[in-house]
Amino acid sequence: MLPPFAWTDGRVADPGIGYLLYWPLSATAGVCGVTALLGYGRRLETVGGAWFGYLRESALPVYVLHQAGIVVIAYWLVHLSLPLAARWLVLMVAALATPLAIYHALVRPFPVVRAAFGMRAGNGRTSAAAVAPLSTPARP
């Protein structure tokens, strides 16, 4: 957070009430936004189906793998003579496809690699819909 007073030419400038209200309200809006996203994610936690089961199971490995994929791909993209928008589009598509492909081909089928990424033991061939929700249902 910026200091409440700005120093200019040795004098203290009064930042005004707008400045003093902006930062606490901005922080409060950020906390409320994150809380709303977490609440919406909580509703999706128990949704069934093969896609949601697969995505729920792959969340941590894909999260871990995406940073390395972005860095490696961006290193090569920087040197290409493509327009900025094209480089951005290639990076966004590759940042989604690369970690998912690595997860599906190299992490999911092998129990040792699954354990290294913090996943449940198994061969990865079971139905993704059989993955249990992350928390227990609320009691009535």
PDB file of all heavy atoms in Angstrom, residues 46-81:
ATOM      1  N   THR A  46     -18.929 -31.110  -6.333  1.00  0.00           N
ATOM      2  CA  THR A  46     -19.641 -32.391  -6.311  1.00  0.00           C
ATOM      3  C   THR A  46     -20.335 -32.698  -7.635  1.00  0.00           C
ATOM      4  O   THR A  46     -21.082 -33.668  -7.718  1.00  0.00           O
ATOM      5  CB  THR A  46     -20.687 -32.391  -5.185  1.00  0.00           C
ATOM      6  OG1 THR A  46     -21.583 -31.304  -5.380  1.00  0.00           O
ATOM      7  CG2 THR A  46     -20.010 -32.286  -3.830  1.00  0.00           C
ATOM      8  N   VAL A  47     -20.112 -31.917  -8.663  1.00  0.00           N
ATOM      9  CA  VAL A  47     -20.723 -32.181  -9.963  1.00  0.00           C
ATOM     10  C   VAL A  47     -20.124 -33.453 -10.527  1.00  0.00           C
ATOM     11  O   VAL A  47     -18.917 -33.659 -10.492  1.00  0.00           O
ATOM     12  CB  VAL A  47     -20.479 -30.991 -10.922  1.00  0.00           C
ATOM     13  CG1 VAL A  47     -20.924 -31.333 -12.323  1.00  0.00           C
ATOM     14  CG2 VAL A  47     -21.196 -29.761 -10.413  1.00  0.00           C
ATOM     15  N   GLY A  48     -20.970 -34.324 -11.041  1.00  0.00           N
ATOM     16  CA  GLY A  48     -20.489 -35.588 -11.588  1.00  0.00           C
ATOM     17  C   GLY A  48     -20.144 -35.450 -13.062  1.00  0.00           C
ATOM     18  O   GLY A  48     -20.164 -34.372 -13.640  1.00  0.00           O
ATOM     19  N   GLY A  49     -19.822 -36.561 -13.659  1.00  0.00           N
ATOM     20  CA  GLY A  49     -19.505 -36.577 -15.074  1.00  0.00           C
ATOM     21  C   GLY A  49     -18.032 -36.832 -15.307  1.00  0.00           C
ATOM     22  O   GLY A  49     -17.184 -36.536 -14.458  1.00  0.00           O
ATOM     23  N   ALA A  50     -17.759 -37.387 -16.461  1.00  0.00           N
ATOM     24  CA  ALA A  50     -16.385 -37.761 -16.783  1.00  0.00           C
ATOM     25  C   ALA A  50     -15.468 -36.544 -16.912  1.00  0.00           C
ATOM     26  O   ALA A  50     -14.326 -36.575 -16.463  1.00  0.00           O
ATOM     27  CB  ALA A  50     -16.360 -38.578 -18.068  1.00  0.00           C
ATOM     28  N   TRP A  51     -15.962 -35.470 -17.512  1.00  0.00           N
ATOM     29  CA  TRP A  51     -15.107 -34.291 -17.704  1.00  0.00           C
ATOM     30  C   TRP A  51     -14.714 -33.662 -16.377  1.00  0.00           C
ATOM     31  O   TRP A  51     -13.550 -33.321 -16.161  1.00  0.00           O
ATOM     32  CB  TRP A  51     -15.809 -33.253 -18.581  1.00  0.00           C
ATOM     33  CG  TRP A  51     -15.687 -33.564 -20.025  1.00  0.00           C
ATOM     34  CD1 TRP A  51     -16.628 -34.139 -20.820  1.00  0.00           C
ATOM     35  CD2 TRP A  51     -14.544 -33.355 -20.853  1.00  0.00           C
ATOM     36  NE1 TRP A  51     -16.143 -34.291 -22.091  1.00  0.00           N
ATOM     37  CE2 TRP A  51     -14.861 -33.810 -22.139  1.00  0.00           C
ATOM     38  CE3 TRP A  51     -13.292 -32.824 -20.628  1.00  0.00           C
ATOM     39  CZ2 TRP A  51     -13.965 -33.754 -23.193  1.00  0.00           C
ATOM     40  CZ3 TRP A  51     -12.395 -32.761 -21.683  1.00  0.00           C
ATOM     41  CH2 TRP A  51     -12.745 -33.222 -22.938  1.00  0.00           C
ATOM     42  N   PHE A  52     -15.694 -33.484 -15.497  1.00  0.00           N
ATOM     43  CA  PHE A  52     -15.378 -32.864 -14.209  1.00  0.00           C
ATOM     44  C   PHE A  52     -14.472 -33.759 -13.377  1.00  0.00           C
ATOM     45  O   PHE A  52     -13.582 -33.281 -12.678  1.00  0.00           O
ATOM     46  CB  PHE A  52     -16.647 -32.520 -13.434  1.00  0.00           C
ATOM     47  CG  PHE A  52     -17.275 -31.235 -13.864  1.00  0.00           C
ATOM     48  CD1 PHE A  52     -18.419 -31.235 -14.633  1.00  0.00           C
ATOM     49  CD2 PHE A  52     -16.708 -30.032 -13.510  1.00  0.00           C
ATOM     50  CE1 PHE A  52     -18.987 -30.051 -15.045  1.00  0.00           C
ATOM     51  CE2 PHE A  52     -17.267 -28.835 -13.909  1.00  0.00           C
ATOM     52  CZ  PHE A  52     -18.418 -28.845 -14.682  1.00  0.00           C
ATOM     53  N   GLY A  53     -14.670 -35.060 -13.434  1.00  0.00           N
ATOM     54  CA  GLY A  53     -13.797 -35.978 -12.706  1.00  0.00           C
ATOM     55  C   GLY A  53     -12.371 -35.914 -13.223  1.00  0.00           C
ATOM     56  O   GLY A  53     -11.411 -35.883 -12.451  1.00  0.00           O
ATOM     57  N   TYR A  54     -12.229 -35.892 -14.545  1.00  0.00           N
ATOM     58  CA  TYR A  54     -10.899 -35.815 -15.158  1.00  0.00           C
ATOM     59  C   TYR A  54     -10.213 -34.500 -14.790  1.00  0.00           C
ATOM     60  O   TYR A  54      -9.039 -34.475 -14.426  1.00  0.00           O
ATOM     61  CB  TYR A  54     -11.023 -35.943 -16.675  1.00  0.00           C
ATOM     62  CG  TYR A  54      -9.719 -35.854 -17.415  1.00  0.00           C
ATOM     63  CD1 TYR A  54      -8.895 -36.965 -17.537  1.00  0.00           C
ATOM     64  CD2 TYR A  54      -9.299 -34.662 -17.994  1.00  0.00           C
ATOM     65  CE1 TYR A  54      -7.691 -36.893 -18.215  1.00  0.00           C
ATOM     66  CE2 TYR A  54      -8.110 -34.577 -18.669  1.00  0.00           C
ATOM     67  CZ  TYR A  54      -7.310 -35.696 -18.788  1.00  0.00           C
ATOM     68  OH  TYR A  54      -6.117 -35.609 -19.450  1.00  0.00           O
ATOM     69  N   LEU A  55     -10.935 -33.400 -14.899  1.00  0.00           N
ATOM     70  CA  LEU A  55     -10.353 -32.093 -14.587  1.00  0.00           C
ATOM     71  C   LEU A  55     -10.030 -31.960 -13.100  1.00  0.00           C
ATOM     72  O   LEU A  55      -9.017 -31.363 -12.734  1.00  0.00           O
ATOM     73  CB  LEU A  55     -11.291 -30.977 -15.032  1.00  0.00           C
ATOM     74  CG  LEU A  55     -11.476 -30.843 -16.537  1.00  0.00           C
ATOM     75  CD1 LEU A  55     -12.534 -29.793 -16.851  1.00  0.00           C
ATOM     76  CD2 LEU A  55     -10.163 -30.508 -17.226  1.00  0.00           C
ATOM     77  N   ARG A  56     -10.880 -32.518 -12.242  1.00  0.00           N
ATOM     78  CA  ARG A  56     -10.620 -32.473 -10.804  1.00  0.00           C
ATOM     79  C   ARG A  56      -9.350 -33.249 -10.466  1.00  0.00           C
ATOM     80  O   ARG A  56      -8.533 -32.822  -9.674  1.00  0.00           O
ATOM     81  CB  ARG A  56     -11.833 -33.050 -10.069  1.00  0.00           C
ATOM     82  CG  ARG A  56     -11.927 -32.663  -8.648  1.00  0.00           C
ATOM     83  CD  ARG A  56     -13.213 -33.071  -7.945  1.00  0.00           C
ATOM     84  NE  ARG A  56     -14.024 -34.088  -8.561  1.00  0.00           N
ATOM     85  CZ  ARG A  56     -15.242 -33.878  -9.077  1.00  0.00           C
ATOM     86  NH1 ARG A  56     -15.759 -32.673  -9.071  1.00  0.00           N
ATOM     87  NH2 ARG A  56     -15.931 -34.857  -9.600  1.00  0.00           N
ATOM     88  N   GLU A  57      -9.184 -34.397 -11.094  1.00  0.00           N
ATOM     89  CA  GLU A  57      -8.009 -35.223 -10.847  1.00  0.00           C
ATOM     90  C   GLU A  57      -6.734 -34.574 -11.393  1.00  0.00           C
ATOM     91  O   GLU A  57      -5.663 -34.680 -10.809  1.00  0.00           O
ATOM     92  CB  GLU A  57      -8.208 -36.596 -11.491  1.00  0.00           C
ATOM     93  CG  GLU A  57      -7.051 -37.537 -11.279  1.00  0.00           C
ATOM     94  CD  GLU A  57      -7.220 -38.835 -12.042  1.00  0.00           C
ATOM     95  OE1 GLU A  57      -7.492 -38.791 -13.245  1.00  0.00           O
ATOM     96  OE2 GLU A  57      -7.070 -39.883 -11.401  1.00  0.00           O
ATOM     97  N   SER A  58      -6.849 -33.873 -12.512  1.00  0.00           N
ATOM     98  CA  SER A  58      -5.660 -33.328 -13.172  1.00  0.00           C
ATOM     99  C   SER A  58      -5.285 -31.925 -12.707  1.00  0.00           C
ATOM    100  O   SER A  58      -4.279 -31.382 -13.161  1.00  0.00           O
ATOM    101  CB  SER A  58      -5.890 -33.292 -14.686  1.00  0.00           C
ATOM    102  OG  SER A  58      -6.886 -32.350 -15.017  1.00  0.00           O
ATOM    103  N   ALA A  59      -6.025 -31.327 -11.809  1.00  0.00           N
ATOM    104  CA  ALA A  59      -5.799 -29.924 -11.446  1.00  0.00           C
ATOM    105  C   ALA A  59      -4.395 -29.664 -10.904  1.00  0.00           C
ATOM    106  O   ALA A  59      -3.708 -28.750 -11.366  1.00  0.00           O
ATOM    107  CB  ALA A  59      -6.845 -29.476 -10.430  1.00  0.00           C
ATOM    108  N   LEU A  60      -3.945 -30.434  -9.928  1.00  0.00           N
ATOM    109  CA  LEU A  60      -2.624 -30.184  -9.336  1.00  0.00           C
ATOM    110  C   LEU A  60      -1.481 -30.445 -10.309  1.00  0.00           C
ATOM    111  O   LEU A  60      -0.597 -29.578 -10.463  1.00  0.00           O
ATOM    112  CB  LEU A  60      -2.442 -30.996  -8.048  1.00  0.00           C
ATOM    113  CG  LEU A  60      -1.089 -30.808  -7.366  1.00  0.00           C
ATOM    114  CD1 LEU A  60      -0.899 -29.365  -6.923  1.00  0.00           C
ATOM    115  CD2 LEU A  60      -0.950 -31.737  -6.182  1.00  0.00           C
ATOM    116  N   PRO A  61      -1.447 -31.589 -11.017  1.00  0.00           N
ATOM    117  CA  PRO A  61      -0.333 -31.786 -11.950  1.00  0.00           C
ATOM    118  C   PRO A  61      -0.281 -30.739 -13.063  1.00  0.00           C
ATOM    119  O   PRO A  61       0.797 -30.266 -13.434  1.00  0.00           O
ATOM    120  CB  PRO A  61      -0.589 -33.176 -12.530  1.00  0.00           C
ATOM    121  CG  PRO A  61      -1.448 -33.858 -11.551  1.00  0.00           C
ATOM    122  CD  PRO A  61      -2.259 -32.798 -10.890  1.00  0.00           C
ATOM    123  N   VAL A  62      -1.440 -30.357 -13.584  1.00  0.00           N
ATOM    124  CA  VAL A  62      -1.459 -29.342 -14.649  1.00  0.00           C
ATOM    125  C   VAL A  62      -0.988 -28.003 -14.097  1.00  0.00           C
ATOM    126  O   VAL A  62      -0.240 -27.271 -14.758  1.00  0.00           O
ATOM    127  CB  VAL A  62      -2.856 -29.246 -15.284  1.00  0.00           C
ATOM    128  CG1 VAL A  62      -2.973 -28.032 -16.184  1.00  0.00           C
ATOM    129  CG2 VAL A  62      -3.152 -30.515 -16.065  1.00  0.00           C
ATOM    130  N   TYR A  63      -1.380 -27.672 -12.878  1.00  0.00           N
ATOM    131  CA  TYR A  63      -0.927 -26.427 -12.246  1.00  0.00           C
ATOM    132  C   TYR A  63       0.597 -26.420 -12.095  1.00  0.00           C
ATOM    133  O   TYR A  63       1.259 -25.420 -12.369  1.00  0.00           O
ATOM    134  CB  TYR A  63      -1.604 -26.255 -10.888  1.00  0.00           C
ATOM    135  CG  TYR A  63      -1.055 -25.118 -10.081  1.00  0.00           C
ATOM    136  CD1 TYR A  63      -1.330 -23.805 -10.427  1.00  0.00           C
ATOM    137  CD2 TYR A  63      -0.251 -25.347  -8.973  1.00  0.00           C
ATOM    138  CE1 TYR A  63      -0.821 -22.749  -9.691  1.00  0.00           C
ATOM    139  CE2 TYR A  63       0.261 -24.309  -8.229  1.00  0.00           C
ATOM    140  CZ  TYR A  63      -0.030 -23.014  -8.593  1.00  0.00           C
ATOM    141  OH  TYR A  63       0.479 -21.974  -7.866  1.00  0.00           O
ATOM    142  N   VAL A  64       1.156 -27.544 -11.672  1.00  0.00           N
ATOM    143  CA  VAL A  64       2.604 -27.626 -11.476  1.00  0.00           C
ATOM    144  C   VAL A  64       3.337 -27.555 -12.820  1.00  0.00           C
ATOM    145  O   VAL A  64       4.373 -26.899 -12.943  1.00  0.00           O
ATOM    146  CB  VAL A  64       2.967 -28.923 -10.718  1.00  0.00           C
ATOM    147  CG1 VAL A  64       4.452 -29.158 -10.699  1.00  0.00           C
ATOM    148  CG2 VAL A  64       2.415 -28.879  -9.305  1.00  0.00           C
ATOM    149  N   LEU A  65       2.797 -28.201 -13.839  1.00  0.00           N
ATOM    150  CA  LEU A  65       3.478 -28.279 -15.137  1.00  0.00           C
ATOM    151  C   LEU A  65       3.334 -27.019 -15.993  1.00  0.00           C
ATOM    152  O   LEU A  65       4.169 -26.774 -16.870  1.00  0.00           O
ATOM    153  CB  LEU A  65       2.942 -29.468 -15.933  1.00  0.00           C
ATOM    154  CG  LEU A  65       3.272 -30.854 -15.394  1.00  0.00           C
ATOM    155  CD1 LEU A  65       2.451 -31.900 -16.113  1.00  0.00           C
ATOM    156  CD2 LEU A  65       4.753 -31.129 -15.540  1.00  0.00           C
ATOM    157  N   HIS A  66       2.299 -26.218 -15.778  1.00  0.00           N
ATOM    158  CA  HIS A  66       2.049 -25.129 -16.709  1.00  0.00           C
ATOM    159  C   HIS A  66       3.131 -24.048 -16.685  1.00  0.00           C
ATOM    160  O   HIS A  66       3.431 -23.458 -17.717  1.00  0.00           O
ATOM    161  CB  HIS A  66       0.665 -24.515 -16.475  1.00  0.00           C
ATOM    162  CG  HIS A  66       0.632 -23.384 -15.512  1.00  0.00           C
ATOM    163  ND1 HIS A  66       0.627 -23.569 -14.153  1.00  0.00           N
ATOM    164  CD2 HIS A  66       0.625 -22.055 -15.713  1.00  0.00           C
ATOM    165  CE1 HIS A  66       0.608 -22.387 -13.559  1.00  0.00           C
ATOM    166  NE2 HIS A  66       0.606 -21.453 -14.482  1.00  0.00           N
ATOM    167  N   GLN A  67       3.736 -23.788 -15.552  1.00  0.00           N
ATOM    168  CA  GLN A  67       4.746 -22.730 -15.491  1.00  0.00           C
ATOM    169  C   GLN A  67       5.960 -23.066 -16.337  1.00  0.00           C
ATOM    170  O   GLN A  67       6.451 -22.227 -17.094  1.00  0.00           O
ATOM    171  CB  GLN A  67       5.167 -22.464 -14.043  1.00  0.00           C
ATOM    172  CG  GLN A  67       6.205 -21.383 -13.904  1.00  0.00           C
ATOM    173  CD  GLN A  67       5.693 -20.019 -14.334  1.00  0.00           C
ATOM    174  OE1 GLN A  67       4.547 -19.694 -14.107  1.00  0.00           O
ATOM    175  NE2 GLN A  67       6.544 -19.225 -14.962  1.00  0.00           N
ATOM    176  N   ALA A  68       6.446 -24.285 -16.222  1.00  0.00           N
ATOM    177  CA  ALA A  68       7.601 -24.679 -17.035  1.00  0.00           C
ATOM    178  C   ALA A  68       7.258 -24.637 -18.512  1.00  0.00           C
ATOM    179  O   ALA A  68       8.077 -24.198 -19.338  1.00  0.00           O
ATOM    180  CB  ALA A  68       8.059 -26.080 -16.633  1.00  0.00           C
ATOM    181  N   GLY A  69       6.055 -25.068 -18.866  1.00  0.00           N
ATOM    182  CA  GLY A  69       5.642 -25.019 -20.271  1.00  0.00           C
ATOM    183  C   GLY A  69       5.581 -23.607 -20.799  1.00  0.00           C
ATOM    184  O   GLY A  69       6.037 -23.326 -21.920  1.00  0.00           O
ATOM    185  N   ILE A  70       5.048 -22.691 -20.024  1.00  0.00           N
ATOM    186  CA  ILE A  70       4.959 -21.298 -20.453  1.00  0.00           C
ATOM    187  C   ILE A  70       6.349 -20.706 -20.651  1.00  0.00           C
ATOM    188  O   ILE A  70       6.622 -20.026 -21.649  1.00  0.00           O
ATOM    189  CB  ILE A  70       4.153 -20.468 -19.434  1.00  0.00           C
ATOM    190  CG1 ILE A  70       2.683 -20.845 -19.502  1.00  0.00           C
ATOM    191  CG2 ILE A  70       4.326 -18.978 -19.678  1.00  0.00           C
ATOM    192  CD1 ILE A  70       1.842 -20.207 -18.419  1.00  0.00           C
ATOM    193  N   VAL A  71       7.257 -20.966 -19.732  1.00  0.00           N
ATOM    194  CA  VAL A  71       8.603 -20.394 -19.820  1.00  0.00           C
ATOM    195  C   VAL A  71       9.344 -20.923 -21.047  1.00  0.00           C
ATOM    196  O   VAL A  71       9.954 -20.160 -21.802  1.00  0.00           O
ATOM    197  CB  VAL A  71       9.398 -20.667 -18.524  1.00  0.00           C
ATOM    198  CG1 VAL A  71      10.857 -20.317 -18.689  1.00  0.00           C
ATOM    199  CG2 VAL A  71       8.790 -19.910 -17.365  1.00  0.00           C
ATOM    200  N   VAL A  72       9.275 -22.223 -21.273  1.00  0.00           N
ATOM    201  CA  VAL A  72       9.997 -22.814 -22.409  1.00  0.00           C
ATOM    202  C   VAL A  72       9.423 -22.317 -23.732  1.00  0.00           C
ATOM    203  O   VAL A  72      10.167 -21.934 -24.640  1.00  0.00           O
ATOM    204  CB  VAL A  72       9.952 -24.362 -22.326  1.00  0.00           C
ATOM    205  CG1 VAL A  72      10.439 -24.991 -23.605  1.00  0.00           C
ATOM    206  CG2 VAL A  72      10.777 -24.835 -21.145  1.00  0.00           C
ATOM    207  N   ILE A  73       8.103 -22.302 -23.856  1.00  0.00           N
ATOM    208  CA  ILE A  73       7.470 -21.861 -25.103  1.00  0.00           C
ATOM    209  C   ILE A  73       7.709 -20.371 -25.336  1.00  0.00           C
ATOM    210  O   ILE A  73       8.019 -19.947 -26.447  1.00  0.00           O
ATOM    211  CB  ILE A  73       5.972 -22.198 -25.083  1.00  0.00           C
ATOM    212  CG1 ILE A  73       5.784 -23.721 -25.085  1.00  0.00           C
ATOM    213  CG2 ILE A  73       5.255 -21.579 -26.260  1.00  0.00           C
ATOM    214  CD1 ILE A  73       4.409 -24.170 -24.689  1.00  0.00           C
ATOM    215  N   ALA A  74       7.589 -19.568 -24.300  1.00  0.00           N
ATOM    216  CA  ALA A  74       7.797 -18.128 -24.451  1.00  0.00           C
ATOM    217  C   ALA A  74       9.238 -17.806 -24.818  1.00  0.00           C
ATOM    218  O   ALA A  74       9.495 -16.851 -25.554  1.00  0.00           O
ATOM    219  CB  ALA A  74       7.398 -17.405 -23.167  1.00  0.00           C
ATOM    220  N   TYR A  75      10.188 -18.581 -24.342  1.00  0.00           N
ATOM    221  CA  TYR A  75      11.589 -18.348 -24.687  1.00  0.00           C
ATOM    222  C   TYR A  75      11.788 -18.426 -26.203  1.00  0.00           C
ATOM    223  O   TYR A  75      12.503 -17.620 -26.785  1.00  0.00           O
ATOM    224  CB  TYR A  75      12.484 -19.360 -23.972  1.00  0.00           C
ATOM    225  CG  TYR A  75      13.938 -19.241 -24.343  1.00  0.00           C
ATOM    226  CD1 TYR A  75      14.712 -18.225 -23.811  1.00  0.00           C
ATOM    227  CD2 TYR A  75      14.527 -20.129 -25.235  1.00  0.00           C
ATOM    228  CE1 TYR A  75      16.044 -18.095 -24.151  1.00  0.00           C
ATOM    229  CE2 TYR A  75      15.860 -20.011 -25.584  1.00  0.00           C
ATOM    230  CZ  TYR A  75      16.610 -18.993 -25.037  1.00  0.00           C
ATOM    231  OH  TYR A  75      17.930 -18.866 -25.384  1.00  0.00           O
ATOM    232  N   TRP A  76      11.145 -19.399 -26.835  1.00  0.00           N
ATOM    233  CA  TRP A  76      11.275 -19.518 -28.285  1.00  0.00           C
ATOM    234  C   TRP A  76      10.402 -18.501 -29.020  1.00  0.00           C
ATOM    235  O   TRP A  76      10.775 -18.023 -30.084  1.00  0.00           O
ATOM    236  CB  TRP A  76      10.928 -20.930 -28.738  1.00  0.00           C
ATOM    237  CG  TRP A  76      12.002 -21.925 -28.441  1.00  0.00           C
ATOM    238  CD1 TRP A  76      13.340 -21.743 -28.614  1.00  0.00           C
ATOM    239  CD2 TRP A  76      11.849 -23.227 -27.907  1.00  0.00           C
ATOM    240  NE1 TRP A  76      14.022 -22.865 -28.221  1.00  0.00           N
ATOM    241  CE2 TRP A  76      13.135 -23.799 -27.782  1.00  0.00           C
ATOM    242  CE3 TRP A  76      10.761 -23.984 -27.524  1.00  0.00           C
ATOM    243  CZ2 TRP A  76      13.341 -25.076 -27.294  1.00  0.00           C
ATOM    244  CZ3 TRP A  76      10.971 -25.254 -27.035  1.00  0.00           C
ATOM    245  CH2 TRP A  76      12.256 -25.788 -26.927  1.00  0.00           C
ATOM    246  N   LEU A  77       9.252 -18.162 -28.473  1.00  0.00           N
ATOM    247  CA  LEU A  77       8.360 -17.224 -29.147  1.00  0.00           C
ATOM    248  C   LEU A  77       8.919 -15.804 -29.194  1.00  0.00           C
ATOM    249  O   LEU A  77       8.638 -15.059 -30.128  1.00  0.00           O
ATOM    250  CB  LEU A  77       6.996 -17.195 -28.448  1.00  0.00           C
ATOM    251  CG  LEU A  77       6.023 -18.301 -28.804  1.00  0.00           C
ATOM    252  CD1 LEU A  77       4.781 -18.197 -27.940  1.00  0.00           C
ATOM    253  CD2 LEU A  77       5.645 -18.243 -30.265  1.00  0.00           C
ATOM    254  N   VAL A  78       9.685 -15.434 -28.207  1.00  0.00           N
ATOM    255  CA  VAL A  78      10.224 -14.071 -28.150  1.00  0.00           C
ATOM    256  C   VAL A  78      11.087 -13.769 -29.373  1.00  0.00           C
ATOM    257  O   VAL A  78      11.088 -12.650 -29.883  1.00  0.00           O
ATOM    258  CB  VAL A  78      11.042 -13.875 -26.849  1.00  0.00           C
ATOM    259  CG1 VAL A  78      11.859 -12.616 -26.882  1.00  0.00           C
ATOM    260  CG2 VAL A  78      10.109 -13.870 -25.666  1.00  0.00           C
ATOM    261  N   HIS A  79      11.776 -14.778 -29.873  1.00  0.00           N
ATOM    262  CA  HIS A  79      12.707 -14.564 -30.979  1.00  0.00           C
ATOM    263  C   HIS A  79      12.054 -14.659 -32.352  1.00  0.00           C
ATOM    264  O   HIS A  79      12.717 -14.415 -33.353  1.00  0.00           O
ATOM    265  CB  HIS A  79      13.859 -15.562 -30.878  1.00  0.00           C
ATOM    266  CG  HIS A  79      14.591 -15.470 -29.574  1.00  0.00           C
ATOM    267  ND1 HIS A  79      15.318 -14.361 -29.204  1.00  0.00           N
ATOM    268  CD2 HIS A  79      14.666 -16.321 -28.531  1.00  0.00           C
ATOM    269  CE1 HIS A  79      15.836 -14.547 -28.009  1.00  0.00           C
ATOM    270  NE2 HIS A  79      15.455 -15.734 -27.572  1.00  0.00           N
ATOM    271  N   LEU A  80      10.787 -15.000 -32.424  1.00  0.00           N
ATOM    272  CA  LEU A  80      10.101 -15.086 -33.707  1.00  0.00           C
ATOM    273  C   LEU A  80       9.639 -13.706 -34.151  1.00  0.00           C
ATOM    274  O   LEU A  80       9.369 -12.827 -33.342  1.00  0.00           O
ATOM    275  CB  LEU A  80       8.905 -16.031 -33.610  1.00  0.00           C
ATOM    276  CG  LEU A  80       9.228 -17.495 -33.339  1.00  0.00           C
ATOM    277  CD1 LEU A  80       7.934 -18.295 -33.234  1.00  0.00           C
ATOM    278  CD2 LEU A  80      10.104 -18.070 -34.432  1.00  0.00           C
ATOM    279  N   SER A  81       9.524 -13.527 -35.436  1.00  0.00           N
ATOM    280  CA  SER A  81       9.110 -12.226 -35.969  1.00  0.00           C
ATOM    281  C   SER A  81       7.605 -12.195 -36.236  1.00  0.00           C
ATOM    282  O   SER A  81       7.159 -11.653 -37.234  1.00  0.00           O
ATOM    283  CB  SER A  81       9.887 -11.930 -37.252  1.00  0.00           C
ATOM    284  OG  SER A  81       9.593 -12.923 -38.225  1.00  0.00           O
TER     285      SER A  81
END
